[in-house]
Amino acid sequence: MGSTGTTTVIDAARRALGPVGVTLPVSFTTPLSIDLQREAVRRMERVGYHAVWTNEVIGGKDALVQLAVLLSATERLAFGTSIANIWARQPQTMHGAAAVLAQAHPGRFVLGLGVGHPQQAADVGQEFGSPLATMRDYVERMAAPTQPPAPDVAVPRIIAANGPKMLALAGEIADGALPAVQPPEFTARARQVLGPDKLLVVGLSVVPDSDRDRARAIARERVSAGLGQPSYAAGLARLGYSDQDIAEVSDRLVDAIIAHGDPAAIAAKVREHLTAGADHVTLLSQVGTDFSVGVDQLAWLAPALAGVDTSG
């Protein structure tokens, strides 16, 4: 099975998402009131964002149920999963649920899929296996017939991909890719791998703070935590960052990966990714940020991001 989409489906997703959106602040320890979430997405709509993305917590939050509620609470916002974890539901169920959302809210839903981590597979009694083979098998099985059949609705489908092999797979079997917490050089490479006709959504980690030195210090901590994963460090090295940049978590590295500082600085980093080939950039608050604080920060950034594009 190849991509779900035609150029028309992907172009429609580009228009619906616009150049910049936000991911709702994430907590893995505190359940969030759905009323607070409704208020948050309505606020994001009022301040001018075109798209909101949400995560998934296996056993704690179903991303598709969450989006059914939030889509119904808003009028124009597009929504996407960042990401829907493939271990949370069977492939045919994923396909059917996504199709119902797309049918109920035409043009307002993008399905982001991710292979997750070995522990997430173990939590549901499955073997993680090869990430590439697992993702290919899952996407192929999404097309398996069911009784009754799922609605015949095209759903834009993208795959979380932070490495070259998963990027190539996303270009082959899906409508695009969703890399996250990477520098603009990765975005440029992703566009080369995917080609011009696929959807490229980039997750950009942000530290909004008018005190730039404080913002950079927080950003450095975030990059340092990510460098604990050898594959992440290796990927940065492939992009041309030196051993010294990586070992010392240099200013150059921090400034490339994390958008930090005042709204103008964050808008400039968004623009770098758009110039490098992203269709859409979604802003990622630090995991564990208080939900209300994170929403306030995203609203603070909105005026600087209004109309941002590659020529602004």
Side-chain angles (χ1 to χ4, degrees), residues 22-44:
V22 299
T23 299
L24 288 183
V26 172
S27 172
F28 291 106
T29 58
T30 304
L32 293 174
S33 158
I34 195 63
D35 289 336
L36 281 179
Q37 295 178 60
R38 285 194 189 99
E39 291 174 12
V41 296
R42 288 168 179 154
R43 185 178 181 190
M44 295 299 97

Side-chain angles (χ1 to χ4, degrees), residues 179-182 202-206 256-259 266 269-270 273 281-285:
V181 197
Q182 297 283 353
V202 169
L204 175 63
S205 188
V206 298
I257 295 173
I258 309 288
I266 289 174
K269 182 58 66 175
V270 168
H273 283 279
V281 176
T282 180
L283 308 183
L284 308 174
S285 301

Side-chain angles (χ1 to χ4, degrees), residues 167-185:
L167 271 174
L169 183 68
E172 177 188 348
I173 68 173
D175 297 312
L178 199 169
V181 197
Q182 297 283 353
E185 294 95 331

Side-chain angles (χ1 to χ4, degrees), residues 114-194:
V115 73
H117 307 289
Q119 185 56 50
Q120 293 168 326
D123 287 344
V124 295
Q126 300 292 322
E127 291 289 335
F128 187 73
S130 159
L132 293 170
T134 296
M135 180 58 80
R136 180 185 292 277
D137 177 68
Y138 189 92
V139 170
E140 288 176 349
R141 289 193 293 131
M142 287 178 72
T146 59
Q147 289 294 332
D152 184 16
V153 179
V155 182
R157 186 168 63 218
I158 59 179
I159 292 175
N162 279 336
K165 293 181 180 179
M166 192 65 78
L167 271 174
L169 183 68
E172 177 188 348
I173 68 173
D175 297 312
L178 199 169
V181 197
Q182 297 283 353
E185 294 95 331
F186 187 94
T187 297
R189 186 164 296 183
R191 176 52 71 196
Q192 289 177 345
V193 171
L194 293 173

